[in-house]
């Protein structure tokens, strides 16, 4: 299974990458949970000064989808 959130760290910069390009990186419930856990982890990491959030593919984020819509 491909993770819907990827994390890259280089020095003091962390990049959180939304990784659902086929869905234009629209959030689903699993993705929201992963993003929250990732950001909480980064707030506790004293080596990180900057967090950049980006999207894989042609769109940053097309919004959200409920499980009913999926």
């Amino acid at each position: 299974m491909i993770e819907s959130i990827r994390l890259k760290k280089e020095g003091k910069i962390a990049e959180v990458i939304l990784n659902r390009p086929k869905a234009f990186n629209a959030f689903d419930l699993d993705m929201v949970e992963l993003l929250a856990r990732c950001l909480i982890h980064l707030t506790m990491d004293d080596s990180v000064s900057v967090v950049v959030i980006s999207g894989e593919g042609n769109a940053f984020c097309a919004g959200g989808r409920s499980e009913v819509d999926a």
Side-chain angles (χ1 to χ4, degrees):
M1 179 175 128
I2 296 175
E3 290 292 326
S4 57
I5 299 286
R6 289 188 302 134
L7 175 62
K8 291 182 356 186
K9 284 176 53 178
E10 188 172 320
K12 294 183 175 199
I13 301 172
E15 183 178 11
V16 177
I17 304 158
L18 308 179
N19 191 32
R20 294 185 65 219
K22 290 182 181 178
F24 297 103
N25 298 312
F27 285 97
D28 62 10
L29 295 177
D30 290 333
M31 190 174 180
V32 170
E33 182 180 342
L34 282 172
L35 180 61
R37 281 193 279 145
C38 182
L39 293 175
I40 289 167
H41 168 77
L42 290 172
T43 62
M44 295 186 290
D45 186 341
D46 292 335
S47 70
V48 174
S49 296
V50 176
V51 176
V52 177
I53 302 176
S54 64
E56 187 70 44
N58 295 326
F60 167 66
C61 181
R65 293 185 64 169
S66 69
E67 292 298 316
V68 175
D69 295 337

